[in-house]
Amino acid sequence: MEQLTCYDCGETFPFGDAARCRCGEPLWFETDAAGFDWRDASGATAGGVSLGRDTLWRYESVLPATVPDGLAAAAGGTPLFRAPSMESPDGPRVHLKVEGVNPTGSFKDRGTAVGISRLEGPVGTVSHGNMALSVAAHAAAVDREAIILVAEDTPDSRLAMIAQHDPHLFRVRGDYGRLYDDTLERDLGAAFLNSDAPLRVAGQKTVAYEICEAFAPDAPDAIVLPVSSGGQASGVWKALRELDAAGLLSAVPRIYLAQAARCDPIAQAYRRGASRVESVEGEPTAAVSINNADPPSGNRALAAVAETGGGVVSVAEEVMISERDRLAADAGVSVEPSCAVATAAVRELTASGEFGSDDDVAAILTGSGYKYGTSDTDISSVREVDRTDVPDAVREVVS
Ligand SMILES: *Cc1c(COP(=O)(O)O)cnc(C)c1O
Ligand SMILES: [Zn+2]
């Protein structure tokens, strides 16, 4: 599994030789999964000890890395459950994939786990969010140097969260967008696990392996996920291609992507019917984790949608925030605003008739809401009460 290929022109490269195809598109690992069967997936052990639950290493036979020691062994294997409280009478069955259960609270751990297990020496990333936190934590777990390049305007609270894992943190002045390419094009002495790096995409495909295995021998009708760089969307598409080649899908699920309307270059290209994403001038949005105006794997994400017959949905800011509140209040799942676009998209696709009551839809809730706080949540309904008045006060609200 040492070859990288271009999804678009089919060109191949030995792993390590190129960051991008000659045509400019991102690469991914060539994986021969034709002989893969669900029976090959098994609960992995690390250091001779069972992990206590299934993790992404269940799919070790189709990954470019072997089961590691330490925190990376614990990534993936997240819950998927049906959430009737998120369904509407004429809508699909909604299944929530809760990626916030990963070690650092987001799906980014899947890509980091595979990447750090395969690479040697220092690792780095260009991120000030979940990816930075994930790389810092996983590097700490195996006593590796981590180089984390954050944007100049990264709030101190974020820096502190990353800094607790003791990486080398750099606040970078200047064009932060260019930095992504700089770290790929130049040898900095550290291997950069940026958002659509082939190793990261390999790890992130396991979320779709888990979803499809849960439905085997059938398959969900659709998988809906938030998209930013297009790295995770690429991983999901790659998984579906592999599982289809292995004959394990009764039908290939359609891939639907969701963006915040304030920064939605992939959705705009989709609406234009284009196969190429143009960068946009995004506006600030509460969906900080999916705020990418120039997505490096945007074209590949669009191809995933086109090939599977899915779509791309833009979600208005207020709709996204109320959906985030609804997920917490109705389904009991706390997410960042960036994740709420997924179930908001399910609602919009139900309203437009794209999803019906015969459909099974899996929505990927990419990251936990507990990390970043919910300072905008209305707490005016909190009651102040004396201890002696508690019995009466409680009886009043439960009656
Ligand atoms: C990174 C991230 C995304 C977007 O993933 P891409 O691979 O960049 O498209 C979505 N949600 C959360 C919570 C994230 O951290
Ligand atoms: Zn190419």
Side-chain angles (χ1 to χ4, degrees):
M1 215 184 293
E2 299 314 313
Q3 292 273 79
L4 301 181
T5 55
C6 172
Y7 76 97
D8 199 26
C9 72
E11 178 122 27
T12 64
F13 301 82
F15 174 55
D17 269 21
R20 281 281 185 276
C21 182
R22 256 183 286 277
C23 76
E25 285 299 290
L27 301 170
W28 58 21
F29 275 89
E30 172 89 51
T31 312
D32 182 8
F36 177 78
D37 189 24
W38 295 123
R39 281 192 299 270
D40 302 335
S42 62
T45 58
V49 180
S50 161
L51 292 165
R53 63 181 176 87
D54 282 323
T55 70
L56 65 81
W57 299 102
R58 192 174 167 71
Y59 310 111
E60 185 184 21
S61 67
V62 289
L63 293 174
T66 51
V67 185
D69 291 328
L71 190 70
T78 58
L80 174 76
F81 57 86
R82 185 172 167 196
S85 57
M86 299 300 288
E87 296 173 0
S88 57
D90 53 346
R93 289 176 289 276
V94 176
H95 307 264
L96 302 178
K97 183 68 170 162
V98 186
E99 289 293 288
V101 170
N102 275 294
T104 71
S106 84
F107 79 86
K108 297 290 198 304
D109 285 333
R110 294 178 185 269
T112 309
V114 169
I116 206 155
S117 304
R118 173 57 193 263
L119 298 167
E120 280 161 21
V123 291
T125 199
V126 179
S127 164
H128 41 253
N130 291 324
M131 197 159 58
L133 186 64
S134 180
V135 170
H138 284 267
V142 285
D143 200 19
R144 296 263 204 98
E145 311 279 321
I147 312 297
I148 310 290
L149 307 179
V150 309
E152 193 177 4
D153 58 357
T154 306
D156 287 354
S157 56
R158 284 239 174 171
L159 280 185
M161 193 161 33
I162 301 164
Q164 66 187 317
H165 298 298
D166 203 21
H168 302 287
L169 259 174
F170 297 85
R171 233 202 262 252
V172 182
R173 285 183 298 273
D175 187 344
Y176 191 68
R178 275 290 310 154
L179 207 55
Y180 191 96
D181 295 328
D182 288 352
T183 57
L184 294 180
E185 287 158 13
R186 297 193 196 156
D187 183 6
L188 305 184
F192 272 75
L193 278 171
N194 293 350
S195 41
D196 67 348
L199 283 166
R200 192 168 275 289
V201 171
Q204 282 157 195
K205 78 182 179 187
T206 58
V207 70
Y209 267 73
E210 289 174 15
I211 291 170
C212 291
E213 188 174 9
F215 283 88
D218 296 329
D221 296 283
I223 299 176
V224 186
L225 61 146
V227 62
S228 178
S229 70
Q232 182 180 226
S234 302
V236 169
W237 187 31
K238 185 157 205 305
L240 298 184
R241 289 162 60 118
E242 291 173 9
L243 293 172
D244 191 32
L248 295 175
L249 298 176
S250 52
V252 179
R254 289 168 278 154
I255 295 175
Y256 290 88
L257 306 176
Q259 298 209 285
R262 289 190 180 170
C263 184
D264 64 348
I266 301 174
Q268 289 189 28
Y270 174 76
R271 287 195 292 268
R272 280 198 304 272
S275 62
R276 291 288 179 260
V277 176
E278 305 288 337
S279 63
V280 298
E281 289 284 336
E283 288 168 61
T285 161
V288 288
S289 296
I290 56 169
N291 189 357
N292 191 329
D294 189 11
S297 277
N299 299 336
R300 193 163 58 178
L302 264 186
V305 165
E307 289 290 319
T308 61
V312 190
V313 175
S314 294
V315 178
E317 195 76 3
E318 327 72 70
V319 174
M320 173 179 76
I321 296 300
S322 60
E323 185 69 21
R324 190 250 345 238
D325 295 345
R326 205 141 147 185
L327 275 161
D330 292 353
V333 183
S334 173
V335 298
E336 327 176 11
S338 302
C339 313
V341 294
T343 50
V346 173
R347 278 182 217 289
E348 297 200 6
L349 291 162
T350 300
S352 67
E354 189 101 0
F355 293 157
S357 54
D358 287 343
D359 290 323
D360 281 290
V361 173
I364 304 179
L365 301 179
T366 43
S368 170
Y370 292 120
K371 296 192 257 195
Y372 300 122
T374 44
S375 52
D376 58 332
T377 298
D378 179 17
I379 53 167
S380 61
S381 61
V382 176
R383 295 172 181 80
E384 306 287 340
V385 61
D386 291 332
R387 182 179 60 83
T388 49
D389 295 334
V390 166
D392 283 343
V394 171
R395 275 191 289 269
E396 199 183 312
V397 295
V398 295
S399 65

